[in-house]
Amino acid sequence: MPDPEGKNTTQQTNDDQMVNDAFQHLLDCYLNSRHRKKVDLITKAFNFARQAHKGVKRLSGEPYIMHPIAVAQIACEEMGLGSTSICSALLHDVVEDTDYTVEDIANIFGNKIATIVDGLTKISGGIFGEQASKQTENFKKLLLTMSDDIRVILIKICDRLHNMRTLDSQPHNKQYKIAGETLYIYAPLANRLGLNKIKTELENLSFKFEHPQIYESINKNLSLTKENRDKLFDDFTLPIREQLDKMGVSYEIKARVKSPYSIWQKMQNKHVTFDEIYDILAVRIIFTPKDKKKEIQECFDIYVALTSIYRSHPTRFRDWLNHPKTNGYKALHVTLMSNQGSWIEVQIRSEHMDEVAEQGFAAHWKYKEGENGEEPEMSEEDGELNNWISTIKEVLDDPQPDSMDFLDSIKLNLFASEIFVFTPKGEIKTMPAGCTALDFAFQIHTFIGSHCIGAKVNHKLVPLSHKLQGGDQVEILTSKSQHVHASWLDFVFTAKARSKIQAILRKESREIQKEGETILNEWLKKNDLELTTAILDKLCEYHEIQKHENLLFALGKKTIVLTDKDLDEILDKEKKKGWRKYVPFTKGEKKKDKTIPVGRGLLTVGKDFNKKIPCIISEETIGMYIHQNCCHPIPGDDILGFIDNKNHVELHKRNCPVANKLKSSYGNRILDAKWEMHQQLFFDAIIEIRGIDRKGVLHDLADVLTDQMDIYIRKITITSDDGIFEGTVEVRIHDRVEVKNIINKIKKIKDVKEVQQII
């Protein structure tokens, strides 16, 4: 007879061995780091967490304690953090998932670890559970707790990285949700903290789960072209090595290959194929400075040596040495023309710069010594990080009421690329790329922003909406008579400016609403009536206004004036009041959603709906889903479903910008969706073309589409100017494969240079 008890004992022994090996590996990494004096404390935290999570398994089937160990391993090995962070990582789920409290943690492990665990507990909210829809609120808490101790956010990123590495065990709809919010929130956050290596892995893992086939295709192409890249790298770096050896530089040269996600992004943005991307290879020179005080000068010496070997690109020089990025990144970037005729970017860094580039602010702590071997607290030396955190606090002082707006405001300011602009006195200010003169005014001070009437950029008068460029010198012009306008929201870019403008407008709006309420109360009193919700509803319906607040605002602004007609509407309702209770009504039974009748209107998601089963989009069911105009998905696109406020299902491309926000804000409403179409229905597609104008190009285009491919053309628009033609072709197609075939065929037409799908 089988022995289930013996089998269980064997499994338990295997699990115990797995856990012990993982923890020993963690200890070994810790002992090899600068922080190596708190082995007893880490062991104590491990034993405590192991006991607390005893008997609990992850969806993958492994003991739950493996997750905290893995998070601690990332904190130790990949971020270089010390005992406080490692213990906090080991304990980060104890308060959330067991009966232990923060007070228990404080009594056993001290206040520092308890504070970090408390911060991590507040922002957990069930990463894989139904509470996932509270992600935006959790993110606000994440930013708030980050300002108390930066290690909270660092460990949270470690936690997210391990969850992404083990995402295979989750159903597809959860994979899309978690991958989406990772790409929208956590990868940019890691980048902003200078965690480049982790940022790249988070992006690639998100890409892998959202677009598995494209991910595999790019990886396959990278493998196939590896031999050519290796030869290009060797040929390109040979004369560089000879020159650096002559200079007596101690160095290492690495090949940096563009990540699959970055390649895909470029393919999407530039509308090109993998073969048309020419900057997949970059070169990184990492040197040991002879004199630490002169490492910047040594970077420039290497740069001069390189430009004596190869021709440099005049517009692709980046000096991140004298003006480091706000995440601490320092390097010199130059793009050189290889002997094979391709441009190659070279990044020049010292060893310390390279470590900071990969590990961000966390790397600074590796060079500091805290008390008793712990990593020290954040100091004044981490000024850029302090500045960033203060910006976060400003955004959170007046957060957007809508979760989508809040995420947008965070994305706009905190994760944007940067430019440097100058004040009239020559002081450098770091601003996000895409910012306007008005953004700059609010960056200086809220009062200056709210009274700004214009600006002088490089001594020329410009409007508030003028977009700033790197190197601009900006002088803000103000007037006491100026006040904030709602139209400013149409062109401001930064989160700070947007939140301040909205706060001022909301304050003004509340005052006008209050005035409107006074006007309404006086009018009702005059007509022997009292203010009720029913009266407000009737007035809103009569004036076609959705919200009570908007009605009061209109009354306060005098855009609506109450008359006898308003009174008639109210009194008419009062006369009708009460008749309904004498008329019997029957409530219809709610339909269950387990089996949905085909072709009978939109699909409605009820409580019995199984979110783990994918929505199948076929010729028979396609009419049951809402097709949004934001991304125009067609068969062949990677898609997902989103349950809207009316419990209907919208279809989006998985990489749709709107879908990315939905995944981050309303993750538990995301559904998996798959196509099962059989080329029976047609979809619209618009293809944009550009090229060198010549006689007969339109004839060739029509010949390819109609005679060769038998494609139904709805409309062609072509214009020509100075020998260059451009235009659009609207066609009806069955699926994404057909679009790709059309584009490939058009590209082969003589003198056609650019082809891309715009819808």
Side-chain angles (χ1 to χ4, degrees):
M1 287 181 67
D3 180 13
E5 194 172 320
K7 187 177 178 181
N8 290 339
T9 304
T10 303
Q11 182 62 48
Q12 184 63 49
T13 303
N14 292 339
D15 286 349
D16 289 344
Q17 188 61 48
M18 181 201 307
V19 171
N20 291 335
D21 290 347
F23 179 64
Q24 188 58 50
H25 179 55
L26 171 62
L27 279 185
D28 292 342
C29 289
Y30 175 70
L31 289 168
N32 287 328
S33 70
R34 284 176 61 84
H35 319 285
R36 50 181 181 270
K37 299 177 183 176
K38 293 265 186 167
V39 172
D40 290 344
L41 183 66
I42 292 172
T43 305
K44 183 179 177 182
F46 162 68
N47 288 327
F48 185 86
R50 186 178 196 174
Q51 184 61 36
H53 295 300
K54 188 175 181 180
V56 182
K57 301 258 185 184
R58 297 192 90 207
L59 283 181
S60 60
E62 66 182 17
Y64 191 88
I65 187 62
M66 290 296 290
H67 170 63
I69 294 172
V71 174
Q73 184 72 42
I74 295 168
C76 177
E77 187 174 13
E78 300 181 49
M79 283 195 187
L81 300 178
S83 60
T84 303
S85 298
I86 293 169
C87 290
S88 301
L90 288 168
L91 299 165
H92 80 273
D93 278 335
V94 167
V95 175
E96 174 72 18
D97 297 338
T98 73
D99 293 332
Y100 289 104
T101 64
V102 175
E103 288 73 22
D104 295 330
I105 303 295
N107 291 333
I108 300 168
F109 298 100
N111 289 327
K112 277 186 189 175
I113 291 173
T115 300
I116 296 171
V117 171
D118 187 34
L120 289 161
T121 302
K122 285 176 182 172
I123 56 176
S124 59
I127 290 301
F128 296 139
E130 286 302 309
Q131 296 299 310
S133 61
K134 295 182 180 176
Q135 180 60 31
T136 303
E137 193 58 39
N138 290 340
F139 188 51
K140 290 179 186 177
K141 292 176 184 175
L142 180 70
L143 297 177
L144 282 167
T145 52
M146 183 175 81
S147 60
D148 295 329
D149 194 319
I150 191 68
R151 288 171 291 198
V152 173
I153 187 73
L154 294 175
I155 297 168
K156 184 62 190 173
I157 290 172
C158 296
D159 178 48
R160 175 49 58 114
L161 179 57
H162 184 248
N163 283 332
M164 287 301 298
R165 286 173 176 172
T166 56
L167 200 55
D168 292 276
S169 58
Q170 294 293 329
H172 289 302
N173 62 320
K174 291 291 174 66
Q175 287 180 355
Y176 303 151
K177 175 258 169 190
I178 296 158
E181 70 186 24
T182 297
L183 205 54
Y184 196 75
I185 293 174
Y186 287 95
L189 196 52
N191 182 55
R192 202 60 174 74
L193 291 167
L195 303 165
N196 183 61
K197 194 174 178 183
I198 288 175
K199 181 266 298 189
T200 302
E201 187 176 352
L202 287 173
E203 287 176 342
N204 283 332
L205 287 169
S206 298
F207 177 38
K208 173 187 170 185
F209 285 106
E210 289 209 302
H211 307 280
Q213 292 177 325
I214 305 172
Y215 176 82
E216 287 302 324
S217 173
I218 291 175
N219 267 335
K220 185 179 178 182
N221 282 326
L222 284 172
S223 299
L224 292 173
T225 55
K226 184 179 184 301
E227 191 175 330
N228 290 336
R229 274 198 314 277
D230 290 346
K231 186 176 187 313
L232 176 61
F233 174 77
D234 292 339
D235 293 345
F236 179 75
T237 57
L238 182 61
I240 294 175
R241 293 177 192 277
E242 291 172 353
Q243 184 64 33
L244 294 179
D245 289 340
K246 282 181 191 175
M247 294 167 63
V249 177
S250 174
Y251 65 91
E252 180 185 6
I253 299 183
K254 293 180 179 178
R256 184 195 65 81
V257 179
K258 215 175 189 67
S259 70
Y261 175 76
S262 296
I263 291 170
W264 179 67
Q265 282 289 90
K266 193 153 193 176
M267 289 168 66
Q268 296 290 303
N269 296 334
K270 301 284 186 182
H271 301 282
V272 294
T273 63
F274 179 89
D275 296 330
E276 294 172 293
I277 296 177
Y278 301 109
D279 62 344
I280 288 176
L281 175 70
V283 171
R284 190 170 290 160
I285 299 173
I286 303 161
F287 70 94
T288 306
K290 297 170 186 173
D291 183 349
K292 201 134 194 318
K293 293 179 182 177
K294 295 182 179 179
E295 66 178 356
I296 290 179
Q297 182 58 51
E298 289 184 50
C299 279
F300 278 99
D301 290 343
I302 293 171
Y303 162 72
V304 171
L306 295 182
T307 54
S308 68
I309 303 170
Y310 296 112
R311 182 163 58 90
S312 64
H313 195 293
T315 62
R316 293 193 193 170
F317 176 74
R318 298 288 182 270
D319 177 9
W320 299 112
L321 298 175
N322 293 308
H323 306 295
K325 292 185 179 182
T326 50
N327 61 13
Y329 180 85
K330 285 185 178 181
L332 207 57
H333 291 195
V334 58
T335 302
L336 304 172
M337 174 59 76
S338 70
N339 294 329
Q340 288 77 19
S342 56
W343 291 106
I344 296 178
E345 183 184 75
V346 180
Q347 301 167 356
I348 307 166
R349 313 171 175 172
S350 69
E351 289 172 333
H352 177 56
M353 291 175 194
D354 184 62
E355 197 160 15
V356 172
E358 294 303 309
Q359 294 188 331
F361 288 108
H364 291 300
W365 289 318
K366 295 180 78 174
Y367 295 93
K368 299 176 185 177
E369 196 67 49
E371 294 178 15
N372 302 320
E374 293 182 18
E375 68 264 38
E377 302 302 314
M378 196 163 56
S379 68
E380 291 301 318
E381 295 171 35
D382 303 307
E384 292 292 356
L385 184 56
N386 280 309
N387 290 339
W388 189 59
I389 289 173
S390 68
T391 306
I392 286 172
K393 285 180 177 177
E394 287 178 358
V395 174
L396 293 170
D397 279 344
D398 189 43
Q400 308 301 320
D402 182 79
S403 61
M404 301 279 276
D405 289 342
F406 173 76
L407 286 175
D408 277 345
S409 68
I410 292 294
K411 289 282 288 187
L412 281 174
N413 193 51
L414 302 184
F415 303 149
S417 55
E418 300 148 357
I419 60 171
F420 299 102
V421 294
F422 297 88
T423 67
K425 293 182 179 178
E427 184 185 349
I428 293 178
K429 295 283 185 184
T430 304
M431 297 290 293
C435 68
T436 64
L438 185 58
D439 289 305
F440 185 76
F442 274 100
Q443 182 67 26
I444 296 169
H445 198 279
T446 302
F447 180 84
I448 292 173
S450 57
H451 292 84
C452 179
I453 56 171
K456 283 185 178 180
V457 174
N458 304 325
H459 309 291
K460 291 181 181 178
L461 193 64
V462 298
L464 300 177
S465 57
H466 177 82
K467 286 196 174 183
L468 302 180
Q469 304 295 323
D472 282 347
Q473 189 171 35
V474 188
E475 178 187 354
I476 299 299
L477 307 175
T478 61
S479 168
K480 288 184 179 179
S481 61
Q482 176 68 293
H483 63 277
V484 170
H485 297 276
S487 60
W488 288 3
L489 292 169
D490 295 334
F491 59 81
V492 289
F493 186 83
T494 61
K496 180 175 181 178
R498 184 172 291 274
S499 64
K500 294 298 180 187
I501 292 167
Q502 288 177 327
I504 293 167
L505 290 174
R506 281 201 294 272
K507 185 180 178 184
E508 290 177 357
S509 177
R510 283 195 294 269
E511 291 172 358
I512 294 169
Q513 282 179 34
K514 202 168 183 181
E515 190 177 335
E517 190 174 354
T518 302
I519 291 170
L520 179 58
N521 274 317
E522 289 176 356
W523 182 80
L524 289 171
K525 189 176 181 182
K526 182 181 170 184
N527 289 285
D528 297 324
L529 293 168
E530 288 185 3
L531 183 59
T532 64
T533 303
I535 286 176
L536 281 171
D537 288 340
K538 193 62 181 175
L539 288 173
C540 283
E541 185 182 342
Y542 177 60
H543 290 285
E544 296 181 348
I545 293 174
Q546 289 186 336
K547 295 182 179 179
H548 295 171
E549 294 86 351
N550 296 348
L551 174 70
L552 297 176
F553 183 83
L555 290 170
K557 288 282 281 186
K558 310 289 194 300
T559 54
I560 290 179
V561 177
L562 297 169
T563 65
D564 289 343
K565 287 186 178 180
D566 294 277
L567 186 63
D568 291 342
E569 281 294 317
I570 295 169
L571 293 175
D572 188 43
K573 177 168 184 180
E574 294 301 315
K575 287 172 190 172
K576 292 176 184 175
K577 187 177 179 181
W579 67 275
R580 286 181 180 271
K581 65 183 178 182
Y582 301 109
V583 181
F585 286 92
T586 57
K587 292 183 179 179
E589 291 183 10
K590 290 184 180 178
K591 291 181 181 178
K592 292 189 176 181
D593 297 294
K594 288 180 180 176
T595 56
I596 308 294
V598 170
R600 295 188 185 176
L602 292 173
L603 167 65
T604 301
V605 175
K607 63 179 181 179
D608 296 324
F609 189 87
N610 188 346
K611 295 180 182 178
K612 293 181 181 180
I613 297 175
C615 301
I616 303 301
I617 316 302
S618 65
E619 282 83 359
E620 290 76 25
T621 63
I622 194 167
M624 296 161 58
Y625 300 92
I626 298 169
H627 301 260
Q628 294 289 19
N629 293 325
C630 50
C631 56
H632 295 276
I634 64 174
D637 289 330
D638 291 332
I639 56 170
L640 54 76
F642 172 73
I643 304 168
D644 68 12
N645 292 332
K646 294 181 180 178
N647 286 327
H648 299 318
V649 179
E650 303 173 1
L651 296 181
H652 293 269
K653 290 183 184 177
R654 286 181 212 157
N655 62 327
C656 166
V658 173
N660 286 336
K661 295 177 193 176
L662 295 172
K663 284 178 275 190
S664 303
S665 298
Y666 308 103
N668 64 328
R669 296 198 208 170
I670 298 298
L671 303 173
D672 186 18
K674 298 188 185 303
W675 297 104
E676 276 193 12
M677 306 293 284
H678 306 90
Q679 293 201 332
Q680 294 176 16
L681 299 180
F682 283 96
F683 298 83
D684 292 327
I686 301 177
I687 296 170
E688 190 176 66
I689 55 174
R690 293 184 82 245
I692 299 168
D693 195 17
R694 63 170 171 82
K695 187 177 180 181
V697 70
L698 186 58
H699 176 274
D700 291 348
L701 179 64
D703 178 59
V704 165
L705 293 175
T706 56
D707 294 346
Q708 295 183 30
M709 300 191 71
D710 195 27
I711 298 295
Y712 173 45
I713 303 173
R714 296 190 65 184
K715 184 179 179 183
I716 294 182
T717 306
I718 300 284
T719 58
S720 177
D721 187 26
D722 289 336
I724 302 295
F725 80 85
E726 58 182 26
T728 58
V729 184
E730 296 182 24
V731 294
R732 305 220 70 192
I733 43 82
H734 293 105
D735 52 34
R736 177 63 56 200
V737 173
E738 208 163 42
V739 176
K740 287 180 180 176
N741 290 338
I742 291 170
I743 289 173
N744 290 335
K745 281 278 190 182
I746 294 174
K747 280 181 178 179
K748 292 176 182 176
I749 297 174
K750 183 185 174 185
D751 295 323
V752 171
K753 301 300 180 184
E754 295 176 13
V755 188
Q756 65 186 48
Q757 184 192 358
I758 54 176
I759 292 180

